């Protein structure tokens, strides 16, 4: 059963790569094939990932979907897995501002000087 699931995953990725490659008009580069081992595509345990160095997070249905999206990304910027609490308030399949507490966001905000506007 486990080898069948692995074979199905590999076939899915190869077929998807062929479809994406045939859809591109005059691309000189070869298609990117991503092989994800030990993936349970039926898992419903959400995963959260930060996009590059930005403060944008994306909530995925599971870690396999996250790893696949990071692999097939057309740019050199990829997703980095973060705590699911960073995706609080973001629905599955959507991108939003990372939330929760993290050491990187608190250290970058310590250098911020607030601007106070007084009226009247």
């Amino acid at each position: 059963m486990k080898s069948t699931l692995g074979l199905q995953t590999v076939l899915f990725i190869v077929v998807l790569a062929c479809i994406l490659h045939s859809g591109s008009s005059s691309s000189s580069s070869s298609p990117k094939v991503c092989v994800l081992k030990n993936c349970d595509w039926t898992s419903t345990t959400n995963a959260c990932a930060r996009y590059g160095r930005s403060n944008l997070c994306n909530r995925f249905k599971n870690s396999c979907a996250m790893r696949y999206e990071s692999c097939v990304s057309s740019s050199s910027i990829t997703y980095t897995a973060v705590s699911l609490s960073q995706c609080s308030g973001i629905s599955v399949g959507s991108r939003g501002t990372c939330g929760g507490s993290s050491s990187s966001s608190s250290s970058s905000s310590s250098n911020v000087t607030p601007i106070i506007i007084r009226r009247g």
Side-chain angles (χ1 to χ4, degrees):
M1 180 68 183
K2 198 170 195 176
S3 64
T4 305
L5 181 62
L7 180 60
Q8 290 172 345
T9 303
V10 170
L11 288 175
F12 169 77
I13 293 169
V14 169
V15 168
L16 186 62
C18 290
I19 291 170
L20 291 175
H21 181 63
S22 66
S24 61
S25 55
S26 62
S27 176
S28 61
S29 64
S30 60
K32 188 173 192 177
V33 177
C34 300
V35 179
L36 303 177
K37 294 183 180 182
N38 301 324
C39 262
D40 180 9
W41 288 93
T42 60
S43 173
T44 56
T45 304
N46 289 176
C48 181
R50 181 181 306 274
Y51 182 71
R53 291 181 162 183
S54 71
N55 196 28
L56 295 175
C57 284
N58 197 339
R59 185 177 213 138
F60 295 92
K61 177 183 176 185
N62 56 41
S63 63
C64 294
M66 177 189 67
R67 290 168 50 198
Y68 175 76
E69 187 66 31
S70 184
C71 179
V72 298
S73 175
S74 60
S75 66
S76 61
I77 300 173
T78 58
Y79 286 99
T80 304
V82 295
S83 170
L84 190 57
S85 65
Q86 293 288 316
C87 282
S88 61
I90 302 174
S91 59
V92 174
S94 298
R95 186 181 292 175
T97 305
C98 298
S101 62
S102 70
S103 59
S104 62
S105 64
S106 62
S107 64
S108 64
S109 64
S110 64
N111 296 329
V112 175
T113 305
I115 299 173
I116 300 172
I117 300 173
R118 296 185 183 166
R119 296 186 181 188

